[in-house]
Amino acid sequence: MKTSSITRALAPAALAAAALVAPAPAALADESIFVPKGLGCLDFNITLSSTGGNLHTKEFYDADGNVVRSITAGKGVLLTYTNSGTDPDNPVNGESITFRTDGSVTEIVKNPDGTLTYTATGHNGLILFPSDVPAGPTSTQYVGRIVFNVDPATGVFTLVSTSGKATDICAALAD
C-alpha cells in the first residue's frame, strides 16, 4: 500500500487529486492518503484509503489539440476513511467508515480562464481545506451530484452545488 501526503482529495475519480489536471489511471492501485488534522477534519488526522477500482478516462480536444474536457467512469473503489488520531508523526488506526463507490462519473471541463469545473455524480468524496470556498476543514462523502471549480494556480476549490445524500465524515469518525 502506498502512502502519501496530499493537498486535496476527490474520490474515486481522482483519489490523489494533487495532480488535478491529470486524468485518473485506468486501474487504481491500493492507495492511502494521510490528511493532517485541521485540513480534512478539525480535531483529528484522517487517512483515506482506496482499494480496487478500474476507471477509464476519455479526453476531448479542441482544434489545436488541447484537452478541453475529460470524463472518467468505471468500476469504483472501496473507499475507507479512518480517524488517525491527533499526532501527525504517529498516526493511529481508530474508527473507520467504508463506502463502495460503484456508479461514479466525473466530468472535468477546462474553462477559458484556466480553472477547471468538476461535475461528479454517483458516489464521491470531497475534502475541503480552510483555504477553500466555503472554508473547510470538511470531509464529505456524497451520493448524488457535486459541482466545484478548481484553480490549478492556487489550489483553491470553490464548491458550486451539491444534491443528494451527504455524509459528514468528521462527525461519523469523531471519538
Side-chain angles (χ1 to χ4, degrees):
M1 185 177 301
K2 177 179 156 191
T3 302
S4 62
S5 275
I6 62 157
T7 57
R8 181 70 68 242
L10 165 71
L15 182 60
L20 288 169
V21 292
L28 293 176
D30 293 355
E31 185 169 350
S32 251
I33 299 170
F34 179 78
V35 183
K37 173 182 166 181
L39 292 182
C41 292
L42 183 62
D43 297 324
F44 52 89
N45 306 307
I46 59 172
T47 301
L48 178 60
S49 302
S50 68
T51 56
N54 189 7
L55 303 175
H56 301 279
T57 299
K58 170 76 174 157
E59 295 178 328
F60 300 87
Y61 302 88
D62 64 13
D64 297 324
N66 300 309
V67 176
V68 293
R69 190 179 116 198
S70 69
I71 296 176
T72 301
K75 182 180 182 295
V77 299
L78 282 179
L79 189 61
T80 302
Y81 299 86
T82 302
N83 178 333
S84 297
T86 58
D87 184 352
D89 296 322
N90 188 21
V92 298
N93 287 325
E95 185 77 23
S96 292
I97 186 169
T98 299
F99 298 90
R100 291 180 56 98
T101 63
D102 298 338
S104 298
V105 176
T106 300
E107 177 185 45
I108 305 169
V109 175
K110 185 173 182 182
N111 300 310
D113 65 358
T115 61
L116 304 170
T117 298
Y118 281 67
T119 302
T121 58
H123 302 257
N124 292 282
L126 183 63
I127 295 175
L128 295 175
F129 288 1
S131 57
D132 294 326
V133 179
T138 62
S139 296
T140 309
Q141 184 69 28
Y142 293 95
V143 180
R145 176 183 164 104
I146 53 176
V147 178
F148 59 95
N149 294 321
V150 177
D151 184 340
T154 63
V156 172
F157 280 41
T158 301
L159 186 61
V160 174
S161 66
T162 66
S163 63
K165 179 183 175 191
T167 301
D168 181 336
I169 299 303
C170 300
L173 296 179
D175 291 332

